Amino acid sequence: MVILVLKYLVLLLTRVPVDPLEWQISQDTANSIVAWLANTIGAAESVLRVAATGHDKRLFFKVVFCLYMLSALGGLVSGLTVAHAGLCLFCFYMLAEISRSISACLS
């Protein structure tokens, strides 16, 4: 058993390293990724700006409720856990938005 583990360890250590040039992306792909990121940040900024003004009461209360829940959760657990929970909520939101846009494109 020990010999098998040592052989596997030797195989792992003597692997050929991956060429970094294989992981490069094209300029168009990089531009589209940055454009998508800028668009997402801009959309989030506009949603938060509308929520901060209080004109859209439903959105305002959703944001207040989420912030209150994260604050209550922060009182119970560490800050890293709260950041992770916020990231999870953001991911669920993005999944819902993407699935809504995909279903709109298909119909």
Side-chain angles (χ1 to χ4, degrees), residues 22-79:
E22 292 178 12
W23 291 95
Q24 289 185 350
I25 59 175
S26 68
Q27 186 70 31
D28 292 336
T29 305
N31 287 340
S32 66
I33 290 171
V34 170
W36 173 82
L37 186 63
N39 189 18
T40 303
I41 291 172
E45 179 190 5
S46 79
V47 165
L48 291 175
R49 184 175 292 146
V50 168
T53 59
H55 293 305
D56 188 357
K57 299 292 184 201
R58 185 174 174 200
L59 178 63
F60 179 75
F61 285 118
K62 280 183 184 179
V63 170
V64 167
F65 177 74
C66 286
L67 291 176
Y68 179 75
M69 293 304 292
L70 286 175
S71 174
L73 184 64
L76 299 174
V77 292
S78 69

Side-chain angles (χ1 to χ4, degrees), residues 78-97:
S78 69
L80 184 63
T81 306
V82 174
H84 186 264
L87 180 64
C88 289
L89 286 174
F90 178 72
C91 289
F92 284 134
Y93 171 75
M94 291 303 294
L95 179 67
E97 288 295 318

